Amino acid sequence: MTRFLLAAAPVDITALRTELLQPEAGGFCCFEGWVRETNGGRAVFGLDYQAFAPLAVTEGQAILDEARAGFEITDAAAMHRSGSLRVGEIAVWIGVSAPHRDAAFRGCRYIIDEIKRRVPIWKREHYLSGIEKWVAGHDLA
């Protein structure tokens, strides 16, 4: 089952979370990444995400499968937005359920780090000054 969603419109996060409720899970960890109002000292009013959808979904699902195999987690799901977003909107969401909290935390961290590193999604920020700029969605170090 595909648990990685690339969404062009806002998604009901409660529905995603509900799908991860499992009787054997005693812990749940989620991460929400929001569009913030500044980046690098510049005022931001919004951004655009563009993705190569077939590869983004395939790679996103591979990351979730790796997390399930590599951590003692029950289930995991992730959503990344595409298209135009404004300050305050959810850009990325990850949820992980596990028998114990430590595995949920570690699995969640692994998933967001790998999404940022591997999934072909690009970000263009729109600044209040009128300038637009493509920016890295991850650390380049």
Side-chain angles (χ1 to χ4, degrees), residues 67-88:
R68 276 196 288 284
F71 300 92
E72 294 179 24
I73 65 176
T74 306
D75 205 354
M79 180 280 303
H80 202 298
R81 288 287 308 278
S82 63
S84 297
L85 285 78
R86 297 289 174 236
V87 170

Side-chain angles (χ1 to χ4, degrees), residues 30-78:
C30 80
F31 172 80
E32 291 182 3
W34 307 325
V35 178
R36 61 183 176 269
E37 68 181 358
T38 60
N39 189 27
R42 291 179 153 167
V44 174
F45 74 86
L47 53 82
D48 297 321
Y49 281 109
Q50 291 186 10
F52 180 60
L55 182 56
V57 172
T58 299
E59 193 65 19
Q61 185 60 47
I63 292 165
L64 295 175
D65 293 343
E66 291 165 12
R68 276 196 288 284
F71 300 92
E72 294 179 24
I73 65 176
T74 306
D75 205 354

Side-chain angles (χ1 to χ4, degrees), residues 88-108:
E89 287 190 80
I90 296 176
V92 62
W93 181 90
I94 289 117
V96 177
S97 58
H100 303 285
R101 68 179 175 268
D102 187 53
F105 281 120
R106 289 185 298 114
C108 193

